[in-house]
């Protein structure tokens, strides 16, 4: 991603930006981390300019420098926003979903069965259609559960104008065994394990656009406009991932929510290409 955004960067530069960006995310509200990465991007902008004719080189940065008339600080800010959007939202949720599935082989098997069955229905062209997406009922439960447990939006600040009680995703009063990955909880037609949410049906409780108990994309005026898109992207990524590969985890890992949601050891896995022998699973193009 660093390469795509900043153009033809060297391996060392990519590592440097990745490192600065990781510091920036860790200290998202920390001015020094922000200044350091802005300084690095500004230097890259200067370098691209010095490179002359093909001003900006490849990548989004190159296009911004060539085709837009933006001040350098706005270009740098734009690049940071794209780095952030590209790594900390959909990609991270997808990453957590794979991690949770790895910890829960029964869910993994059920998801794989669902995705394999869809793969058989791909109109013979190896591509999913909208009907396939809306038929991914268990996959949607996995995504909802990954969004609940691995919520990425943990450092959004709000000033309360009056006293409020804020209880959501990891609250035992709302979710039985709240810290356990349990995608089936979303299939329970009742899902009314607690006094607090006994007046909501599971469908209402699960509605991420309006539920007071489930809001991975926040709500109100700042509601995430990318919510639908990100769910679609995660579902499609999971489809291609589980129908193409199996994997094994190389190192123990655990989640941490400080200073941002992460897996402390980076969740290293070994991928193995699946050999599809079953005739019901046509090989993909
Ligand atoms: C799993 C993936 C995602 C999650 C969990 C997520 C979560 C959120 C949350 C919680 C907010 C509210 C921020 C606030 O209250 O200040 C937000 C805002 C926003 N998100 Fe997302 N997001 C995701 C993916 C995306 C994608 C794919 C896009 C763009 C294509 C996107 C674009 C935005 C924008 C532009 C805002 C600001 C909205 C505003 O302030 O009016 N998000 N997102």
């Amino acid at each position: 991603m660093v390469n795509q955004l900043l153009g033809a960067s060297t391996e060392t530069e990519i590592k440097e930006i990745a490192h600065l960006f990781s510091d920036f995310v860790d200290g998202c509200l920390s001015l020094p981390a922000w200044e350091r990465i802005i300084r690095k991007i500004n230097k890259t902008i200067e370098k691209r300019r010095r490179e002359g004719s093909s001003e900006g080189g490849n990548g989004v940065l190159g296009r911004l420098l060539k085709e837009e008339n933006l001040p350098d600080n706005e270009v740098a800010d734009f690049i940071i926003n794209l780095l952030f959007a590209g790594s900390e939202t959909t990609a991270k949720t997808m990453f957590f979903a794979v991690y949770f599935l790895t910890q829960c082989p029964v869910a993994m098997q059920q998801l794989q069965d669902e995705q394999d069955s869809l793969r058989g229905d791909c109109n013979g062209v190896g591509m999913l259609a909208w009907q396939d997406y809306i038929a991914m009922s268990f996959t949607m439960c996995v995504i909802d559960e990954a969004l609940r447990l691995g919520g990425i939006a943990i450092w959004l600040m709000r000033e309360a104008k009056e006293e409020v009680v804020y209880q959501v995703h990891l609250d035992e009063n709302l979710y039985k065994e709240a810290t356990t990955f349990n995608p089936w909880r979303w299939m329970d037609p009742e899902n009314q394990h607690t006094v607090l949410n006994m007046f909501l049906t599971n469908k209402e409780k699960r509605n991420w656009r309006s539920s007071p108990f489930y809001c991975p994309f926040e709500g109100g005026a700042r509601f995430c406009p990318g919510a639908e898109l990100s769910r679609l992207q995660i579902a499609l990524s999971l489809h291609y991932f589980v129908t193409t590969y199996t994997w094994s985890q190389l190192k123990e890992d655990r989640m941490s929510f400080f200073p941002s949601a992460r897996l402390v050891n980076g969740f290293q896995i070994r991928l193995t290409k699946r050999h599809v022998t079953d005739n019901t699973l046509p090989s993909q193009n």
Side-chain angles (χ1 to χ4, degrees):
M1 188 167 63
V2 170
N3 205 359
Q4 278 176 345
L5 289 176
L6 292 173
S9 308
T10 62
E11 194 63 25
T12 325
E13 265 184 323
I14 290 175
K15 280 201 178 125
E16 192 187 348
I17 299 267
H19 185 74
L20 289 171
F21 182 67
S22 163
D23 281 354
F24 165 72
V25 174
D26 282 357
C28 210
L29 301 169
S30 129
L31 210 51
W34 185 81
E35 279 170 353
R36 276 198 296 272
I37 191 163
I38 287 282
R39 216 178 302 135
K40 174 66 194 170
I41 295 175
N42 280 337
K43 271 193 189 155
T44 313
I45 293 175
E46 281 165 28
K47 192 171 157 228
R48 297 279 177 272
R49 288 231 166 83
R50 276 198 311 274
E51 279 164 3
S53 59
S54 63
E55 193 185 337
N58 304 317
V60 173
L61 178 63
R63 298 290 293 267
L64 284 174
L65 294 179
K66 214 183 315 181
E67 292 167 24
E68 301 290 338
N69 193 16
L70 293 171
D72 286 2
N73 60 347
E74 282 184 32
V75 172
D77 199 47
F78 192 68
I79 294 288
I80 289 190
N81 279 326
L82 290 180
L83 277 171
F84 203 86
S87 66
E88 292 302 304
T89 60
T90 312
K92 209 162 212 181
T93 309
M94 164 75 191
F95 177 65
F96 286 143
V98 173
Y99 170 71
F100 293 135
L101 288 167
T102 312
Q103 310 304 308
C104 183
V106 185
M108 177 67 231
Q109 189 58 58
Q110 193 167 333
L111 182 110
Q112 201 172 54
D113 290 346
E114 179 171 276
Q115 293 301 337
D116 281 349
S117 74
L118 294 171
R119 184 170 140 146
D121 273 351
C122 286
N123 306 330
V125 289
M127 287 173 73
L128 290 176
W130 182 252
Q131 300 89 288
D132 298 311
Y133 174 58
I134 54 179
M136 295 180 185
S137 58
F138 184 68
T139 306
M140 285 303 148
C141 294
V142 168
I143 294 174
D144 282 340
E145 189 68 346
L147 282 165
R148 184 187 70 82
L149 266 183
I152 48 136
I154 52 176
W155 33 251
L156 296 171
M157 302 295 173
R158 290 289 182 271
E159 184 187 354
K161 298 287 183 196
E162 56 192 57
E163 203 63 17
V164 286
V165 180
Y166 199 45
Q167 289 171 304
V168 271
H169 300 172
L170 298 183
D171 189 335
E172 284 285 336
N173 293 316
L174 296 170
Y175 295 96
K176 199 175 162 199
E177 295 176 1
T179 52
T180 305
F181 176 72
N182 175 8
W184 298 278
R185 74 173 79 240
W186 300 107
M187 296 168 92
D188 175 356
E190 298 301 321
N191 194 8
Q192 293 169 358
H193 299 298
T194 67
V195 178
L196 272 174
N197 54 22
M198 68 186 291
F199 300 110
L200 285 185
T201 63
N202 189 25
K203 203 170 163 205
E204 286 163 338
K205 182 179 174 184
R206 190 180 173 182
N207 189 334
W208 39 269
R209 293 181 195 84
S210 57
S211 171
F213 302 130
Y214 183 60
C215 37
F217 302 101
E218 293 259 359
R222 304 296 299 273
F223 181 76
C224 173
E228 287 283 5
L229 174 68
S230 62
R231 293 171 65 83
L232 176 70
Q233 286 176 326
I234 296 166
L236 296 187
S237 307
L238 280 174
H239 171 80
Y240 288 108
F241 201 53
V242 305
T243 54
T244 313
Y245 301 105
T246 56
W247 63 91
S248 55
Q249 188 172 345
L250 295 182
K251 204 171 172 188
E252 274 299 297
D253 224 321
R254 66 184 169 82
M255 287 192 75
S256 162
F257 288 93
F258 183 80
S260 60
R262 64 179 57 219
L263 289 164
V264 289
N265 290 326
F267 188 48
Q268 298 169 33
I269 54 174
R270 175 174 293 119
L271 290 178
T272 310
K273 192 128 196 199
R274 283 181 73 190
H275 293 287
V276 184
T277 47
D278 184 343
N279 289 337
T280 61
L281 306 181
S283 61
Q284 304 233 301
N285 297 327

